[in-house]
Amino acid sequence: MSDPSARDVGEWYDRFGGLYGLTMGDSMHLGMWSGGVRTQTGELTADEMWEELTRAQDSWTGSLINEVGLLPGQQMLDVGCGTGRPTVRIGAESGASVLGVTVSAAQVRAGRDRALKAGLSDRVAFEQADAMALPQESETFDAAWAIESFAHFSDRPAAIREVRRVLRPGGRFVLADCYEAKPFTPEEVQLFQAAFALSRLPAGPEDYSRMLGEAGFTIHGTRDMSREFKPTYELIPRLFAARRAQIAELVGTDAMAQLDTVYPRILALCRDKMGYTMVNAVKSL
């Protein structure tokens, strides 16, 4: 099975993005727990688990905001922005202008709604675009980040070159995403691709730094966050079970039958074989 195209990814999120909204917190990316330990114990309701995951996501977003160091009046690109919670937050906290791009029309609408509700539509915008062929002009942005969007890209070097092209000299790029900490079997790769429109993950955290370096970035730091993110894979299966009726109503009977089979398997695969890294890079002058 080949890697999904940008169109495939956009159509997947347009159809199944609500599944992430029900099971993956409000930011739709992984959450960070200090030391990889959850402080909340005991039985929690679905809403309580969702809120805990969202807080953990917000913790990671806060760390990434510090890494970017965005200043008032600057311009930033969010590559693969999802429904826009981190995009709106960094715009609000930095005083900068932020553009989120995604291949999903549904996510563009959700992001614009967030910005409108936050009173930030004048500085935080969302557009439908393919990160591997960005429509923005060269040297437009002072900074960029990509939070778990590179897992979808069929041509990651092309996406990195595009980010570099649209950054101004000295612009910062923070890339945070997953890698294969243990090699996936061919069957597991196919499962990843078919179930969530994901491409084959890099073989290790150093692959992201290598691709960035080859594209002309200077690496300023890396962090392996695999341990801190492990509790995400405790909460998502519980949320899936607690909200199964809502999910079935959302996706339909046939898709639910598939999810019942593949969702537990892919979450176990993520827990047991997947790592997570962050790379802070700068476009060389």
Side-chain angles (χ1 to χ4, degrees):
M1 178 180 293
S2 60
D3 288 336
S5 67
R7 180 177 179 178
D8 293 334
V9 175
E11 290 178 347
W12 193 93
Y13 274 103
D14 286 344
R15 183 180 179 191
F16 295 114
L19 168 65
Y20 277 168
L22 287 171
T23 62
M24 284 200 66
D26 199 28
S27 288
M28 293 172 59
H29 62 73
L30 302 185
M32 179 181 74
W33 283 260
S34 178
V37 177
R38 293 177 60 209
T39 57
Q40 290 186 255
T41 58
E43 291 297 321
L44 300 177
T45 67
D47 287 348
E48 288 169 338
M49 288 186 284
W50 189 90
E51 290 166 1
E52 180 188 351
L53 181 51
T54 298
R55 288 193 300 272
Q57 292 166 339
D58 287 343
S59 293
W60 182 227
T61 300
S63 293
L64 293 171
I65 289 172
N66 290 335
E67 290 286 338
V68 173
L70 197 62
L71 299 174
Q74 290 188 325
Q75 307 280 329
M76 177 180 149
L77 179 68
D78 185 342
V79 183
C81 59
T83 57
R85 184 180 175 98
T87 325
V88 171
R89 179 177 169 187
I90 193 170
E93 294 187 7
S94 68
S97 295
V98 187
L99 173 65
V101 296
T102 171
V103 290
S104 166
Q107 290 184 341
V108 169
R109 292 191 296 270
R112 289 174 177 171
D113 185 56
R114 281 186 192 272
L116 180 64
K117 290 178 178 177
L120 292 171
S121 294
D122 59 329
R123 289 194 292 107
V124 180
F126 295 86
E127 294 181 7
Q128 190 171 2
D130 178 358
M132 296 176 286
L134 290 167
Q136 283 72 36
E137 294 183 3
S138 298
E139 299 188 2
T140 297
F141 300 98
D142 301 288
W145 71 15
I147 308 174
E148 296 160 34
S149 56
F150 267 66
H152 290 289
F153 298 159
S154 59
D155 191 343
R156 295 185 181 102
I160 290 172
R161 290 193 298 269
E162 279 293 271
V163 172
R164 187 181 186 279
R165 179 183 64 79
V166 301
L167 281 176
R168 297 186 177 108
R172 190 175 300 278
F173 179 33
V174 175
L175 191 163
D177 221 313
C178 305
Y179 64 90
E180 291 183 20
K182 297 179 181 179
F184 289 10
T185 67
E187 179 188 12
E188 289 167 343
V189 172
Q190 288 186 356
L191 176 66
F192 230 57
Q193 291 173 327
F196 294 102
L198 296 170
S199 295
R200 178 78 189 255
L201 293 176
E206 66 281 352
D207 282 6
Y208 289 110
S209 296
R210 174 185 55 78
M211 287 186 283
L212 287 162
E214 290 173 351
F217 282 95
T218 299
I219 308 303
H220 277 209
T222 63
R223 290 167 63 188
D224 193 289
M225 305 297 297
S226 303
R227 180 182 178 187
E228 286 84 351
F229 289 164
K230 288 294 184 184
T232 301
Y233 304 115
E234 298 176 23
L235 283 176
I236 294 177
R238 296 178 186 178
L239 271 167
F240 180 79
R243 290 182 164 170
R244 189 186 181 284
Q246 290 175 268
I247 295 168
E249 184 176 352
L250 177 71
V251 303
T253 303
D254 292 343
M256 192 67 214
Q258 181 184 14
L259 286 172
D260 280 333
T261 300
V262 303
Y263 211 57
R265 291 179 61 196
I266 199 167
L267 290 171
L269 173 63
C270 293
R271 180 194 66 214
D272 297 338
K273 288 193 170 185
M274 201 166 72
Y276 194 102
T277 189
M278 183 279 297
V279 186
N280 189 326
V282 173
K283 179 178 177 176
S284 303
L285 300 176

